[in-house]
Amino acid sequence: MHSLHPPSDLTALQAPHDVLSFGPFELHLPSRELHNGSARTTLQGQPFEILRMLLERPGSVVTRNQLRQRLWPEGTFVDYEHSLNAAIKRLRAALGDDAQNPRFVETLARRGYRWRASDHATNARRVPQPPGNRLLVLPFSMLGGDEDFGNGLTEELIAQLGSRGAEDVRVIARISALTCTGTGQRARQVGESLDVGYLLEGGIRRQDARMRIAVWLVDTHEEVQVWSAIHECDVKDPLATQIDMAARIAQSVVEEVARRTPRERSHGRDASVTAIRGG
């Protein structure tokens, strides 16, 4: 069983309809993505929570104190007045809203804010994406050696997948992976909450200069491993090794995901294993 653990607020985001539509925008709750046609913006935590709170109460005043309690739990020490103002500015920038002539977020001096859009947010059924289009790269585990190498390889792999697989693979932002790491959530739950068809996981073992990297691809719907590879190498230059290994893995993953059409995925339950040994 592949298990991760959910972020504290994930349960509330797993409703059947987790996309809110307003004006030209769609807010995808699990991924915190704001869609405007083909343009996509990932909202930071505070602007996202403010937007969600305003959408929950259209036409009603959301006080600054209510926002403070939502964003900064009791016992948190922060200049919340300044921080709240900054978060509101970031939200308005994402919406293309004007504080002086607002379409969405209206400021009520010394009181709070109000959602003023005449077209209040409604649930929108998500348009299904091809299963192989969305992939989440989980942080590689490191058994022996410097954990920074594993983190660097994970980041390089995300970048390589994004540049090589733009047409076949859509890679979820690294921040989303961090919210799901180490928390006991099953692969299918991650797939449903973040709308991903695959998880890419890996483990690294190092002894002196010798390194063995195992990587595997998991189908989130069936919760089975559908592809794996093993790479071995001598590490002389860590950065060069990260770039080379990430390029090899990314190329194989893109090819595998592109090959697995929806029809093929329904029959291809057996994992294919590839062993690659490099100098």
Side-chain angles (χ1 to χ4, degrees), residues 10-239:
L10 190 59
T11 302
L13 301 183
Q14 291 180 333
H17 299 289
D18 52 11
V19 180
L20 295 177
S21 176
F22 57 91
F25 295 100
E26 284 187 352
L27 178 64
H28 291 234
L29 299 178
S31 61
R32 298 184 177 182
E33 289 182 341
L34 188 65
H35 294 203
N36 183 2
S38 60
R40 302 187 178 192
T41 302
T42 300
L43 296 178
Q44 296 178 347
Q46 292 172 0
F48 170 78
E49 290 296 340
I50 293 171
L51 177 56
R52 186 164 67 168
M53 199 167 180
L54 290 169
L55 293 175
E56 289 170 353
R57 311 177 189 186
S60 299
V61 178
V62 177
T63 68
R64 293 178 69 86
N65 187 54
Q66 288 172 325
L67 289 168
R68 179 184 63 81
Q69 293 175 355
R70 177 82 162 253
L71 300 176
W72 296 283
E74 186 175 354
T76 302
F77 297 96
V78 64
D79 181 358
Y80 75 87
E81 291 287 347
H82 174 77
S83 298
L84 179 57
N85 290 338
I88 289 289
K89 287 181 180 179
R90 292 198 298 271
L91 174 58
R92 283 198 170 111
L95 295 172
D97 208 13
D98 184 353
Q100 303 302 318
N101 185 28
R103 176 182 176 186
F104 298 112
V105 182
E106 178 183 9
T107 300
L108 302 173
R110 295 183 295 279
R111 294 177 62 194
Y113 304 90
R114 178 168 55 200
W115 186 258
R116 63 169 297 163
S118 57
D119 49 345
H120 297 325
T122 58
N123 287 326
R125 186 176 299 276
R126 177 177 295 161
V127 177
Q129 296 289 338
N133 269 14
R134 293 174 69 86
L135 178 145
L136 180 67
V137 181
L138 296 172
F140 278 37
S141 60
M142 189 80 186
L143 303 176
D146 188 354
E147 290 188 1
D148 287 343
F149 183 92
N151 294 332
L153 178 60
T154 303
E155 292 182 358
E156 181 66 27
L157 182 53
I158 291 173
Q160 292 273 0
L161 284 166
S163 62
R164 292 169 181 265
E167 296 182 359
D168 299 308
V169 179
R170 293 176 57 203
V171 183
I172 302 303
R174 184 172 182 271
I175 188 67
S176 297
L178 295 178
T179 65
C180 295
T181 302
T183 53
Q185 195 177 17
R186 292 174 55 133
R188 180 174 293 184
Q189 292 174 306
V190 176
E192 291 174 351
S193 64
L194 294 179
D195 191 23
V196 294
Y198 297 103
L199 303 179
L200 185 63
E201 303 180 72
I204 304 170
R205 294 184 180 183
R206 181 171 183 175
Q207 184 174 12
D208 299 326
R210 194 66 180 168
M211 182 169 292
R212 180 182 176 91
I213 302 172
V215 59
W216 52 94
L217 192 66
V218 175
D219 182 313
T220 60
H221 177 68
E222 298 184 5
E223 295 191 313
V224 295
Q225 179 179 307
V226 296
W227 173 89
S228 66
I230 297 173
H231 299 260
E232 292 187 0
C233 61
D234 290 325
V235 180
K236 298 178 181 179
D237 182 337
L239 179 58

